[in-house]
DNA sequence: ATTGAAATTGATAATCGTTTTCATTTAGAG
DNA sequence: CTCTAAATGAAAACGATTATCAATTTCAAT
């Protein structure tokens, strides 16, 4: 499991690291450093922010998660899923719904090949307002990252 | 043209504003504040950074451009195109190739409807390495925002 | 043309998320 | 147990973005 996996990769096991890893995988997807930090601190008030940050980076480095950036200034970390997926991102409440992108990725892969691009990943996002936030949609006519 | 357009929207015309707007539309797509600032300063060394930044925001507010965020920490501004487009983003040289996303957007629009989402925009990106940078692709196995 | 309110500017400072630094502690191989 | 490299935590540095504010400028109304 986790410990062995890290050891084989040459990383040491520390109580902090264990707690951070465990907490990350217990949480919802799309976790920010701050969110994880808060969660971790519920269990151990002595863990530093840098340690959380560094271990989140490590989780990415060993291929268990990926950064995602929805366009609000906050970097979130998404557990790696076997099949790629897209995000419906609510511009108001920031909630995220994931959806299957098999068909879309097929098209994109072709496009990449046509452009002699060596593909490393896809980002497929729909930005808008979830059902609950629909009424608020007039605000923010501008400024959002819609593309 | 530009002046009339801004006036009807209730904004004032200033020499700085004119220069900034003009420069933006003369430049390549996907311009950062800094890049635009440099360009503007070639013509007028007295214009402040804040003015460039605010006017770039204004360009977005009046619907002539949109923020884009490729995953390196820099916000860029993309001229609004009549038809939406996707981006092939080279993780090495940061170059961007645009491509048509009609088909993809069709699919995504359906997905959004199925999820009762009120759509405001799409983001379709393929990250990888352009033909020129293909050899360097081993570096950066982690850390990038691939999703 | 003059006036005056409101918008704009430019310098600067504040903010915010991220990343680095560094002295100290700890893990784990030998 | 010992030693070295890795990891930690506090703090500072960093870089991009955004806010503040006094001075200037635009432009609609006289
Ligand atoms: Mn996700
Ligand atoms: Mn573009
Ligand atoms: Zn919502
Ligand atoms: Zn390239």
């Amino acid at each position: 499991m986790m410990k062995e996996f890290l050891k084989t990769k040459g990383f040491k096991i520390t109580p902090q690291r264990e707690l951070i890893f465990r907490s990350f995988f217990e949480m919802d997807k799309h976790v920010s450093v701050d969110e994880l930090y808060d969660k971790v601190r519920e269990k151990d008030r002595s863990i530093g922010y840098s340690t959380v940050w560094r271990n989140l980076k490590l989780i990415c480095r060993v291929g268990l998660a990926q950064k995602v950036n929805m366009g609000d200034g906050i970097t979130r970390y998404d557990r790696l899923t076997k099949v790629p997926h897209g995000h419906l991102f609510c511009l108001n409440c920031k909630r995220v719904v994931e959806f299957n992108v098999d068909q879309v990725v097929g098209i994109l892969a072709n496009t990449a090949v046509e452009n002699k691009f060596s593909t490393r990943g896809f980002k497929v996002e729909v930005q808008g307002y979830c059902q609950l936030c629909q009424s608020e949609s007039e605000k923010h006519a501008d400024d959002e990252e819609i593309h």
Side-chain angles (χ1 to χ4, degrees), chain A residues 28-43:
Chain A
D28 252 5
K29 307 161 203 246
H30 316 117
V31 181
S32 68
V33 186
D34 287 10
E35 284 161 358
L36 183 57
Y37 176 65
D38 289 346
K39 168 100 172 186
V40 162
R41 287 211 123 209
E42 289 173 9
K43 302 268 178 169

Side-chain angles (χ1 to χ4, degrees), chain A residues 5-146:
Chain A
F5 177 70
L6 280 175
K7 277 194 179 173
T8 61
K9 293 257 183 177
F11 298 104
K12 294 181 174 174
I13 308 299
T14 66
Q16 296 94 330
R17 178 159 289 166
E18 285 191 87
L19 176 55
I20 293 167
F21 271 64
R22 189 145 32 76
S23 301
F24 177 73
F25 292 108
E26 279 172 5
M27 291 183 76
D28 252 5
K29 307 161 203 246
H30 316 117
V31 181
S32 68
V33 186
D34 287 10
E35 284 161 358
L36 183 57
Y37 176 65
D38 289 346
K39 168 100 172 186
V40 162
R41 287 211 123 209
E42 289 173 9
K43 302 268 178 169
D44 181 347
R45 307 274 324 157
S46 72
I47 293 186
Y49 187 90
S50 348
T51 303
V52 173
W53 180 81
R54 276 184 298 235
N55 276 289
L56 213 29
K57 243 199 146 184
L58 180 60
I59 291 174
C60 293
R61 185 150 43 237
V62 300
L64 297 173
Q66 300 269 185
K67 274 195 201 176
V68 279
N69 188 309
M70 299 298 183
D72 63 347
I74 294 165
T75 301
R76 290 159 191 285
Y77 296 80
D78 198 2
R79 266 179 282 173
L80 215 66
T81 53
K82 28 256 141 276
V83 302
H85 63 265
H87 294 136
L88 291 167
F89 180 62
C90 178
L91 295 167
N92 184 245
C93 66
K94 317 293 186 204
R95 252 188 292 271
V96 176
V97 176
E98 301 189 332
F99 62 91
N100 176 284
V101 287
D102 285 348
Q103 205 185 344
V104 166
V105 162
I107 297 168
L108 295 179
N110 280 346
T111 306
V113 169
E114 284 164 19
N115 286 273
K116 307 212 189 308
F117 229 73
S118 164
T119 303
R120 283 294 168 281
F122 303 95
K123 177 188 280 187
V124 180
E125 255 175 58
V126 180
Q127 291 161 326
Y129 295 93
C130 73
Q131 199 168 16
L132 293 165
C133 297
Q134 223 101 309
S135 53
E136 320 236 16
S137 59
E138 286 75 42
K139 306 189 308 191
H140 315 289
D142 29 270
D143 210 86
E144 277 105 12
E145 177 188 351
I146 300 179

